[in-house]
Amino acid sequence: MKNRSYNDNSRYDGGFGSKPFDSNHPGDDHDSYGGGGGGYKNESAKQLQNELDQVHDIVNQNIGKVIERGEHLENLQGKATRLQDQTKIFNSSATSASRTMRWRNMKWKIIIALTIIIIIVICVAGKYPPGLRDWLGFDQD
């Protein structure tokens, strides 16, 4: 254990004083060893207190940043949920539009195919036997 030297009138009682540390109490000397007389001031205790105050400030800043980050994450979560809902709506609308266009195209293909078949039947009916002509409704010449 390290030997410490004290004033002749001071005594070391194992701590920084007999009362607990209160950083909010004005006028306290945080750098004196308590216990006996003499009032010995220790610069390393003062430096330690300054470092602790700095650490306290940094911890408070970090807590503020964490809370702010949590708020940002909540905002992002809300935006992601809304985007997911909009994606579902868009997907169903796109599927419906695709089906509508497919049936529209199919309708035109069927109309064109029937028209071609009718034209072919009319052309062929003039060259085939009278029975087919009668069935199709053509007069015999």
Side-chain angles (χ1 to χ4, degrees):
M1 183 171 192
K2 192 174 181 183
N3 255 345
R4 297 183 187 186
S5 64
Y6 300 99
N7 290 342
D8 293 334
N9 295 333
S10 70
R11 72 180 173 100
Y12 181 69
D13 66 347
F16 282 108
S18 59
K19 62 181 180 177
F21 172 71
D22 183 8
S23 64
N24 296 324
H25 190 274
D28 274 352
D29 287 335
H30 302 301
D31 57 349
S32 64
Y33 284 104
Y40 179 76
K41 304 286 184 186
N42 188 346
E43 287 298 319
S44 64
K46 192 174 200 178
Q47 182 181 2
L48 180 63
Q49 182 60 43
N50 288 336
E51 288 176 12
L52 285 174
D53 290 341
Q54 289 174 353
V55 169
H56 185 264
D57 291 341
I58 291 171
V59 167
N60 283 338
Q61 290 173 359
N62 288 342
I63 289 172
K65 288 178 183 178
V66 167
I67 290 171
E68 194 173 302
R69 182 177 180 212
E71 291 170 356
H72 288 302
L73 288 175
E74 288 173 3
N75 289 340
L76 284 176
Q77 180 67 31
K79 289 178 182 179
T81 302
R82 284 191 302 274
L83 184 60
Q84 190 174 25
D85 294 341
Q86 290 173 352
T87 302
K88 289 177 184 178
I89 292 168
F90 174 78
N91 191 18
S92 64
S93 298
T95 302
S96 175
S98 176
R99 286 181 187 150
T100 302
M101 292 306 294
R102 188 179 312 130
W103 281 111
R104 213 177 264 174
N105 288 338
M106 185 63 71
K107 182 175 73 174
W108 280 108
K109 287 178 184 178
I110 291 171
I111 290 172
I112 291 172
L114 287 175
T115 304
I116 291 173
I117 290 172
I118 290 172
I119 292 173
I120 291 173
V121 167
I122 291 172
C123 290
V124 171
K127 298 180 182 181
Y128 279 96
L132 181 59
R133 286 180 168 173
D134 291 338
W135 182 74
L136 291 175
F138 291 107
D139 293 331
Q140 291 184 358
D141 290 332

